[in-house]
Amino acid sequence: MNHSNPAPLVPSLDHWAMPFSNQLVTVKGLGAWFGSGFNPTQPVTRREFATVLAQCFDLPRPWGTFVPEFSDVSHPDQLAIAKAVSMGFLTGYPDGPFRPQTVLKRFEVLEALVRGLGLSPGNPAVLRAFRDYAQIPSAAMGEIAAATQHHFVVTQPQVDLRPLQRITWGEMVAFLHQALVLQGELPVLAAPGLVDPLPYLPTFTDVQNHWAKPFIQAIANLGYIHGSAQGEFSPDQPLSRGQFALWIQALFHPSPRRPRQQFLDVPPHSPAAEAIQQGYRGCFFSGFPDQTFQPQQPLRRVHLLVAIAQGLRLPPGDIALAEHYTDYEEIPPYAQAAMAAALQAKIGVLPQEKSRLKPGAIATRAEGLVYCHQALVYRRRLLPQT
């Protein structure tokens, strides 16, 4: 396939991969690859994959990465391949060449995406989602498990992984799209064929029958939250300011909008110190007038929603939205605009309490995580729970 002037291939506008390729065209500007001549059944070479990676990602070079000059790479392809290699997605072969015309296997593309994004090895238990998991090369099992946990794997039109088969453009596009969803660069799609890892993963021992289990498990699956050494999440315990700061850091990676602030009760080497600073600088929350942060103080539901609305810069909402709830008069005046913005974004209503907001109630860890899940749905990083 020629990137600059695609060959006039047979259009496949009804192919299952077209929603994924359409997103890449619209958001990442890859129309030259996925125009009317896009053939989703054609195999993908290492050169083509490297060129697409170079267009889709701008990641820093991992420490210690060496980019050799490949003697078998033509001059027009050198920059793109060097960029894909420098970001850690691809490497040359042990005997020196890059072999740009070699067709990639399905497991190799997943392995490359996990490696380039710097993801940790996944839980091998998720590989039981595939009937043919025994065909996965042993050296790649950790990466394929990570790809599965992060929802990279789309198994249309079959239900097996087929790790050793040559990957097609349609399959590569779907995997690539999902990797960009994880990076927050593309919206999540409710597409058929996405492999759900949750049934194959262990969950916290104390949420098995909890109303918030689907929300907790969806976020835990991505590695953003962790329980105790005993495997417990403590869903009904109060959520503290320090714990919430750790979640904000992991889930939203706030960009700084104001200078650092030294809090007298947050030692520089405490576990939540950097998360507190990141959340403060990102305007998710502030300190107290006495220059303390009070990381152990429990949060009320209104505090959580104000923090999310401010930190995510939610657009203004209609305060009349709050009047649909029986306790809307309990919303403090200072929080009314933020609560309206949160409700406009469909953040703040718990599934078991659809008629009340309880703004003054102490928030539990489960409730706080549900609000975070709703915020991730708003940011198009997760699908809503049904």
Side-chain angles (χ1 to χ4, degrees):
M1 186 177 292
N2 187 323
H3 163 56
S4 58
N5 185 22
L9 304 171
V10 178
S12 300
L13 298 180
D14 59 346
H15 191 272
W16 63 266
M18 293 311 294
F20 299 100
S21 63
N22 289 340
Q23 288 288 339
L24 290 171
V25 170
T26 302
V27 181
K28 303 301 288 187
L30 301 185
W33 286 109
F34 309 121
S36 61
F38 171 50
N39 184 353
T41 65
Q42 182 167 310
V44 182
T45 67
R46 283 167 56 85
R47 180 192 70 82
E48 293 166 338
F49 186 46
T51 304
V52 172
L53 288 171
Q55 291 180 258
C56 288
F57 296 98
D58 284 297
L59 303 176
R61 177 187 299 191
W63 179 259
T65 302
F66 171 69
V67 183
E69 292 186 6
F70 299 108
S71 59
D72 59 341
V73 174
S74 63
H75 180 72
D77 300 322
Q78 286 177 358
L79 286 178
I81 289 175
K83 183 178 179 182
V85 171
S86 71
M87 290 188 292
F89 288 101
L90 296 169
T91 62
Y93 284 83
D95 56 348
F98 183 78
R99 300 180 187 169
Q101 299 308 319
T102 297
V103 171
L104 288 159
K105 297 181 173 65
R106 284 169 57 88
F107 89 89
E108 291 174 326
V109 168
L110 292 171
E111 186 181 39
L113 292 171
V114 168
R115 187 168 53 231
L117 297 182
L119 304 178
S120 300
N123 188 329
V126 300
L127 299 179
R128 291 182 289 121
F130 310 111
R131 294 178 301 183
D132 56 351
Y133 71 90
Q135 297 178 19
I136 301 171
S138 58
M141 282 191 170
E143 285 78 8
I144 304 306
T148 307
Q149 281 183 242
H150 288 283
H151 302 274
F152 288 8
V153 183
V154 183
T155 57
Q156 290 281 19
Q158 302 180 34
V159 296
D160 293 329
L161 179 62
R162 295 167 284 129
L164 302 179
Q165 284 190 16
R166 299 194 308 174
I167 193 164
T168 66
W169 269 86
E171 294 161 347
M172 184 273 286
V173 163
F175 295 171
L176 178 63
H177 177 280
Q178 295 303 101
L180 288 164
V181 168
L182 180 64
Q183 293 292 97
E185 296 188 34
L186 289 180
V188 64
L189 291 179
L194 290 174
V195 175
D196 182 8
L198 294 185
Y200 306 94
L201 286 169
T203 187
F204 298 112
T205 58
D206 55 351
V207 303
Q208 293 293 345
N209 299 310
H210 198 277
W211 64 268
K213 177 183 176 181
F215 303 91
I216 296 170
Q217 198 167 359
I219 294 181
N221 167 57
L222 299 178
Y224 292 138
I225 59 170
H226 306 280
S228 67
Q230 292 74 38
E232 297 177 342
F233 180 71
S234 303
D236 298 318
Q237 291 297 309
L239 175 62
S240 72
R241 284 166 59 85
Q243 292 169 345
F244 186 54
L246 289 168
W247 290 359
I248 291 297
Q249 180 188 47
L251 295 172
F252 301 110
H253 311 290
S255 299
R257 290 154 56 186
R258 58 184 173 185
R260 297 175 70 91
Q261 170 68 48
Q262 182 61 46
F263 298 109
L264 299 177
D265 57 346
V266 182
H269 301 295
S270 65
E274 189 53 39
I276 289 170
Q277 285 295 331
Q278 197 168 350
Y280 170 81
R281 297 186 70 194
C283 296
F284 277 86
F285 33 65
S286 297
F288 291 89
D290 61 356
Q291 286 190 281
T292 63
F293 185 78
Q294 301 183 24
Q296 301 306 319
Q297 182 185 91
L299 286 161
R300 299 186 185 276
R301 292 188 186 181
V302 65
H303 298 151
L304 289 174
L305 295 175
V306 169
I308 291 171
Q310 292 179 165
L312 298 185
R313 301 187 191 187
L314 298 181
D318 185 351
I319 192 61
L321 289 171
E323 298 176 3
H324 295 290
Y325 304 95
T326 58
D327 55 354
Y328 76 94
E329 292 182 345
E330 298 176 18
I331 302 173
Y334 76 87
Q336 288 179 356
M339 289 282 286
L343 293 172
Q344 183 86 25
K346 299 184 179 179
I347 303 168
V349 179
L350 300 176
Q352 82 283 19
E353 295 175 352
K354 295 187 177 181
S355 63
R356 301 186 65 192
L357 297 172
K358 295 185 180 179
I362 297 295
T364 66
R365 285 167 54 83
E367 292 163 355
L369 200 68
V370 170
Y371 290 164
C372 289
H373 187 283
Q374 292 170 340
L376 290 170
V377 171
Y378 171 78
R379 297 285 294 270
R380 300 188 298 180
R381 290 175 53 196
L382 286 177
L383 291 172
Q385 292 292 329
T386 56

